[in-house]
Amino acid sequence: GNSVTQMEGPVTLSEEAFLTINCTYTATGYPSLFWYVQYPGEGLQLLLKATKADDKGSNKGFEATYRKETTSFHLEKGSVQVSDSAVYFCALRGSTLGRLYFGRGTQLTVWP
Amino acid sequence: EAGVTQFPSHSVIEKGQTVTLRCDPISGHDNLYWYRRVMGKEIKFLLHFVKESKQDESGMPNNRFLAERTGGTYSTLKVQPAELEDSGVYFCASSQGGPRQETQYFGPGTRLLVL
């Protein structure tokens, strides 16, 4: 079946630090992979996505590469800001149905 | 363009009572999804509508949950009778076009607390 395993939080960093949030998946077929972000008091927003192996999704300085050989989609940012403080969710969509499978979410707090 | 809206934003009810959550998708979006996040756990899929038809309801936990989407516009999710384990955040999402290709846009969620 389909599932997502995401690095447990919380993660606390100083501003300008490097961020990695690990995400690995199990899936049948050829899934699409996503990172969603939830800022305080708001809904989930799509941060980036990749639809096939070796694709790199990027947005707002965040990047993630779809690695089929390691079944991973790790989120990275070279220099985090206080405004990046949020909960980050890794998710996949399977080959046939539209439903998303989510990881547990990682709370990121960035201090000035 | 308005995003996905959900009502109410918060609801506190007692065990055994009934609660109805509402979701208004983005205008023109045929696909509507319900998800739920129980405290500290992953967001789990509940069901998927295509227009007014239930495409996939395999995530509905039991028959205390009833979802409708009359006319293919807004959707309601009713929990009757509510139990303690139903507490969590209920998210609605919508998308247009073929479900595989399109991004799902999420609402802010309804926070349900059953006492």
Side-chain angles (χ1 to χ4, degrees), chain B residues 13-105:
Chain B
I13 61 172
E14 293 187 351
K15 176 182 172 181
Q17 290 186 320
T18 297
V19 63
T20 300
L21 314 180
R22 174 171 169 143
C23 169
D24 286 79
I26 293 172
S27 178
H29 281 194
D30 289 341
N31 295 288
L32 187 149
Y33 303 82
W34 283 99
Y35 295 88
R36 176 175 73 172
R37 187 186 190 203
V38 174
M39 177 81 74
K41 297 195 174 181
E42 69 270 27
I43 299 170
K44 284 197 172 181
F45 167 82
L46 296 177
L47 86 159
H48 171 203
F49 284 99
V50 178
K51 297 185 180 179
E52 66 274 11
S53 299
K54 292 175 184 175
Q55 177 78 10
D56 178 5
E57 53 183 329
S58 61
M60 294 287 264
N62 51 61
N63 59 10
R64 296 185 293 103
F65 289 75
L66 174 64
E68 295 181 326
R69 192 183 182 193
T70 307
T73 54
Y74 71 91
S75 175
T76 58
L77 179 65
K78 183 164 71 174
V79 185
Q80 178 183 32
E83 298 289 345
L84 300 180
E85 64 265 25
D86 300 333
S87 296
V89 182
Y90 290 76
F91 291 102
C92 175
S94 71
S95 71
Q96 63 181 30
R100 173 161 174 75
Q101 301 300 325
E102 297 297 327
T103 297
Q104 294 183 25
Y105 297 88

Side-chain angles (χ1 to χ4, degrees), chain A residues 30-32 36 38 41-44 46 49 51 87 89 93-105, chain B residues 33 35 37 40-45 48 55-56 58-59 91 99-109 111:
Chain A
Y30 304 95
S32 296
Y36 279 84
Q38 184 180 24
E42 299 184 14
L44 293 165
L46 178 66
K49 67 179 181 182
T51 58
V87 182
F89 294 91
R93 184 173 59 214
S95 301
T96 55
L97 296 175
R99 60 184 291 182
L100 293 171
Y101 297 80
F102 284 90
R104 289 195 172 196
Chain B
Y33 303 82
Y35 295 88
R37 187 186 190 203
K41 297 195 174 181
E42 69 270 27
I43 299 170
K44 284 197 172 181
F45 167 82
H48 171 203
Q55 177 78 10
D56 178 5
S58 61
F91 291 102
R100 173 161 174 75
Q101 301 300 325
E102 297 297 327
T103 297
Q104 294 183 25
Y105 297 88
F106 281 77
R111 284 153 182 77

